[in-house]
Amino acid sequence: MSYAALSIILSTILHILPISFRYETIWRKIDEVGKSYLYKSNEDFYGKTLELFINGTLRNITREPMTRNKYTNATVFLTENGSARSPGGYYNNAIMPQQYESLYDGNDATAAFQKAVDVALKTNKPMYCTGDYFVTKIVVEHAGLKMRGDCRLIGISAKRESSVFELRAGAISIDGSLEVSANYRNNYDSALWWNTNSQGSNIRNVSATQAKVCYKIGSYENPTARLSELTIFGGRTYGCTQAANIIGTETYIQIIGAQWSADAFGAPSDDWAGIPFRGILAAGADVTFSGGELIMTTVVSGSIIEASPLSRSNGVHAQWPRIRLIGTVIETASPIALTTNSASLNINPTSGVRGLLSFINVSGFHSQDVSPMIVTSSDYDGEIIWHASRMWHQNKPRSQPNILAGSIQTDVWVDDLGFGVGFRPPLSGTVNGIAHHSLRQVLHASSIAYKLRAKGQRLVYNDIDLSGDAGRYTECYNKNTGAFTVPPGGLAEAEISVSFQSPKAQGTISIFQNESRVVSAPIIDGSGYVKVTRGNLKSGTTFSAFVELQAAPVEPQKKSGNNYMTISARN
């Protein structure tokens, strides 16, 4: 019979009186690693020693009498053949806080948990934790910790603390199911803080909850700390005003399959933390969030992402962060992203390194129409990429821009799919900045409302098509002069077409680039058409239609779609 199917009887002997009695409880298997099994009981082992019986045979697992109520949810480790090992398999010689039960101070497990961390590091042994631990603060000072378990650290400090759990070294591996909670105490700046070095580290299924900031990685005081080579697998946040602060010019972080929410669930009030709602607040860092979910459904004034520059030292060599969301689900009532530079840093990015807000294969839901989806500041020097991503807006179509760029230095790539159902078209939904796009019509100007004269004159159209993507370039056409001006950032290519019709008219129809004629065609029996393609156009270049008539038209100019100038462009 498989050992996993055996009933395991734990006998306890109470050492309060000279006369002892037996107390039996059933233990259940909760984990399996190789050929070792981990069992758990929900009993209270206060004041007892433990003896293990398997199929009626005594297995010698004994401990000193337990003087603290800390072995609730205690664990025992058994190998497949039933011999007693404490612990076995991965847990062989693992250090547990319960081994330092004498260090407990009532419910305060700080000293015992810290001792287990320190001993595990000093002896190069793994650490295991199980159950709830009420602590003021735990610090991992040195590299190499290997920690696994099913436990929760709950902050109980009454004084100002940087975090509940602070990591100050690299080569750290944490696995299992660990939750770090600040317990809605706003004297904690964060729940989990990776402070100075993270190289060669990964954490799996580590959640941070009930804090002003759930995860804090890096610091403004030490912007060049090498918080790189860190991968966070899974984990979740809740009850946190800000899910993560990721800070540093040498900070390179990957988050895979996590569910991060910025919310006030369970908090004393929505504004209990005194800071704005943010999913990821990144300063100078390089962050990749793959899969998983980012959630902010309870507020409209927050932002899923806030990006701000960070200086390496003394306010110089500041750089914007580079943030990528790949295959992530976004559910939000607030904007998706914004950039801020509250310190007014002078941006001098390293050669070839600019800010980045990239969204690829993103999906999700947005519920409001009170602000743009992505907003960048007037000094943002960087790129916005929105590719193969589709959001859903349930109400009437949004009127707010998809992207509002505050700087002509901002390069924006939005593919033909745009933002999705209920959002403005890809180009007209992008306001300001340098829009990059495939070849498409960006201007259709038609109808001439005034009487033409003989000889030469520029054509001025009074009906401008504002629908679809053409709305992006509306301000480029001057209805007083008839000139189309290439916007900031220039155009890679433009195709200009002019159609002219007026009964019995004879003459020439031309296209001017700036003040020079680039192409012309004859007007015969009242009809003329001309077209030209130009490339690598600098900002400020103008195009206009010009007509030269042998005589004034004998009939009034028609106000029809047969008189028009269209421009198709790519960038």
Side-chain angles (χ1 to χ4, degrees):
M1 176 183 295
S2 169
Y3 193 77
L6 295 178
S7 297
I8 301 176
I9 309 300
L10 180 70
S11 299
T12 60
I13 302 175
L14 185 63
H15 288 272
I16 298 178
L17 298 173
I19 300 176
S20 63
F21 61 90
R22 300 173 73 87
Y23 176 79
E24 295 184 349
T25 181
I26 301 295
W27 290 48
R28 59 186 178 85
K29 187 173 78 169
I30 63 167
D31 197 7
E32 182 174 333
V33 180
K35 292 185 177 181
S36 298
Y37 303 95
L38 170 61
Y39 288 80
K40 176 184 282 190
S41 172
N42 290 324
E43 298 296 333
D44 179 0
F45 300 101
Y46 176 77
K48 305 178 180 68
T49 57
L50 306 180
E51 293 178 346
L52 177 68
F53 285 77
I54 303 175
N55 268 6
T57 302
L58 176 65
R59 305 295 187 184
N60 184 25
I61 293 183
T62 61
R63 293 188 178 94
E64 292 296 320
M66 301 172 193
T67 57
R68 304 286 181 195
N69 183 10
K70 285 292 167 282
Y71 276 86
T72 299
N73 298 327
T75 57
V76 63
F77 305 86
L78 310 173
T79 58
E80 189 171 26
N81 62 13
S83 62
R85 299 177 64 190
S86 179
Y90 168 88
Y91 311 95
N92 190 33
N93 297 319
I95 307 299
M96 296 181 65
Q98 284 89 334
Q99 293 174 240
Y100 308 101
E101 180 255 349
S102 62
L103 297 179
Y104 278 87
D105 182 7
N107 285 328
D108 189 342
T110 304
F113 201 99
Q114 187 66 60
K115 180 72 172 180
V117 169
D118 296 342
V119 171
L121 286 169
K122 184 176 181 179
T123 59
N124 197 28
K125 293 181 179 180
M127 177 181 169
Y128 185 81
C129 63
T130 182
D132 291 341
Y133 301 89
F134 295 93
V135 299
T136 55
K137 182 176 181 176
I138 301 299
V139 178
V140 179
E141 287 279 6
H142 305 292
L145 179 68
K146 293 179 175 58
M147 179 177 172
R148 185 173 183 179
D150 178 9
C151 67
R152 182 168 59 156
L153 296 178
I154 303 172
I156 58 172
S157 178
K159 65 184 183 68
R160 178 72 179 271
E161 301 284 1
S162 60
S163 63
V164 179
F165 191 30
E166 181 179 347
L167 305 167
R168 298 178 179 173
I172 290 174
S173 177
I174 303 176
D175 198 356
S177 180
L178 173 67
E179 179 181 336
V180 182
S181 169
N183 203 23
Y184 298 116
R185 293 174 178 262
N186 60 15
N187 53 293
Y188 282 101
D189 294 334
S190 62
L192 185 152
W193 181 23
W194 212 307
N195 187 346
T196 54
N197 183 5
S198 66
Q199 291 181 299
S201 300
N202 67 81
I203 60 177
R204 297 176 182 269
N205 301 319
V206 176
S207 298
T209 64
Q210 302 171 331
K212 292 191 292 187
V213 177
C214 282
Y215 301 92
K216 183 179 178 182
I217 300 170
S219 69
Y220 293 98
E221 293 74 24
N222 189 7
T224 60
R226 295 192 177 276
L227 285 150
S228 58
E229 302 174 24
L230 170 61
T231 304
I232 300 173
F233 297 91
R236 65 190 177 94
T237 69
Y238 76 86
C240 296
T241 304
Q242 296 183 0
N245 287 184
I246 304 175
I247 306 159
T249 59
E250 298 293 332
T251 299
Y252 294 82
I253 305 297
Q254 291 196 55
I255 303 103
I256 301 174
Q259 186 184 69
W260 286 2
S261 175
D263 58 67
F265 296 147
S269 64
D270 288 349
D271 59 352
W272 71 279
I275 55 177
F277 284 89
R278 299 288 186 263
I280 297 173
L281 190 156
D286 190 292
V287 182
T288 300
F289 196 104
S290 301
E293 192 169 9
L294 289 169
I295 305 170
M296 185 182 294
T297 57
T298 60
V299 295
V300 299
S301 58
S303 182
I304 290 290
I305 292 171
E306 178 181 339
S308 61
L310 186 64
S311 171
R312 289 176 172 270
S313 62
N314 299 322
V316 298
H317 303 300
Q319 67 185 46
W320 288 98
R322 296 177 63 82
I323 304 169
R324 305 165 198 84
L325 268 58
I326 305 172
T328 304
V329 175
I330 299 174
E331 295 185 34
T332 177
S334 291
I336 292 178
L338 58 85
T339 70
T340 60
N341 184 8
S342 58
S344 299
L345 295 177
N346 183 23
I347 311 302
N348 293 301
T350 304
S351 178
V353 178
R354 302 174 68 204
L356 174 66
L357 296 170
S358 175
F359 306 85
I360 298 176
N361 291 327
V362 166
S363 61
F365 171 76
H366 181 72
S367 60
Q368 305 297 319
D369 185 19
V370 296
S371 58
M373 298 294 288
I374 299 173
V375 184
T376 61
S377 53
S378 60
D379 55 359
Y380 178 65
D381 182 1
E383 304 165 292
I384 301 172
I385 298 173
W386 185 272
H387 179 72
S389 298
R390 301 281 278 176
M391 298 284 287
W392 176 56
H393 178 66
Q394 68 175 352
N395 301 316
K396 64 181 182 180
R398 280 172 45 91
S399 61
Q400 290 286 338
N402 302 329
I403 298 172
L404 177 59
S407 168
I408 61 171
Q409 297 175 311
T410 303
D411 288 283
V412 181
W413 280 266
V414 179
D415 65 15
D416 293 349
L417 288 174
F419 271 62
V421 177
F423 294 86
R424 287 172 58 173
L427 275 185
S428 64
T430 301
V431 178
N432 301 331
I434 303 171
H436 298 269
H437 53 83
S438 59
L439 186 66
R440 66 190 67 185
Q441 184 173 292
V442 298
L443 175 73
H444 183 81
S446 63
S447 296
I448 300 171
Y450 57 92
K451 187 174 181 178
L452 296 173
R453 65 182 186 274
K455 299 185 179 180
Q457 61 215 287
R458 183 176 290 178
L459 297 179
V460 179
Y461 304 94
N462 65 309
D463 289 343
I464 310 301
D465 183 4
L466 302 179
S467 64
D469 284 331
R472 157 82 187 179
Y473 289 88
T474 300
E475 294 182 0
C476 294
Y477 184 76
N478 188 323
K479 294 176 67 174
N480 294 317
T481 66
F484 175 89
T485 303
V486 174
L491 291 172
E493 182 181 60
E495 182 182 277
I496 304 97
S497 303
V498 176
S499 174
F500 178 84
Q501 287 193 13
S502 182
K504 302 179 182 181
Q506 305 290 329
T508 302
I509 183 71
S510 304
I511 296 175
F512 274 60
Q513 179 175 335
N514 296 328
E515 298 302 321
S516 300
R517 191 192 312 265
V518 292
V519 66
S520 61
I523 299 171
I524 301 174
D525 294 332
S527 180
Y529 178 81
V530 66
K531 177 179 178 181
V532 68
T533 299
R534 309 292 279 178
N536 298 319
L537 299 168
K538 294 182 179 180
S539 173
T541 301
T542 62
F543 290 97
S544 58
F546 194 84
V547 65
E548 296 167 284
L549 299 175
Q550 295 178 2
V554 296
E555 295 182 12
Q557 180 66 28
K558 289 187 176 180
K559 299 180 181 179
S560 71
N562 292 326
N563 285 286
Y564 62 81
M565 179 170 72
T566 65
I567 297 180
S568 295
R570 66 176 178 88
N571 196 26

